[in-house]
């Protein structure tokens, strides 16, 4: 079984354009075995990636955009 989570914040243009990347992954073999079919149940296997961009357009206006896969 393994699980990994991490994130990274990076200023692309100081105080104007900021980026954040986050990763989450989890994998585990199932712990229930069907002796008739040999199939495993309760497996966990997923990955998630999220990228966020913050654009500070002025002192009064900020835009936050998120891309998720």
């Amino acid at each position: 079984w393994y699980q990994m989570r991490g994130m990274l914040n990076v200023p692309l243009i100081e105080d104007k354009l900021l980026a954040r990347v986050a990763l989450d992954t989890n994998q585990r073999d199932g712990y229930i075995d069907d002796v008739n079919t040999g199939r495993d149940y309760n497996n966990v296997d997923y990955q998630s990636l999220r990228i966020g961009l913050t654009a500070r357009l002025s002192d009064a206006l900020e835009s936050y955009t998120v891309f998720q896969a």
Side-chain angles (χ1 to χ4, degrees):
W1 166 4
Y2 72 87
Q3 180 178 16
M4 182 175 67
R5 291 181 179 168
M7 64 90 177
L8 176 67
N9 291 318
V10 178
L12 301 175
I13 300 172
E14 189 171 341
D15 292 331
K16 296 292 181 188
L17 186 61
L18 312 168
R20 177 182 178 128
V21 178
L23 170 71
D24 185 14
T25 183
N26 194 345
Q27 191 277 325
R28 179 191 73 213
D29 290 335
Y31 51 87
I32 298 175
D33 295 325
D34 186 332
V35 295
N36 294 319
T37 64
R39 183 174 173 192
D40 289 337
Y41 291 94
N42 295 333
N43 291 338
V44 174
D45 189 13
Y46 71 86
Q47 297 82 36
S48 175
L49 173 67
R50 187 174 59 234
I51 299 170
L53 292 174
T54 301
R56 294 184 178 147
L57 305 172
S58 71
D59 289 339
L61 184 60
E62 181 174 289
S63 173
Y64 182 63
T65 305
V66 177
F67 304 95
Q68 186 164 336

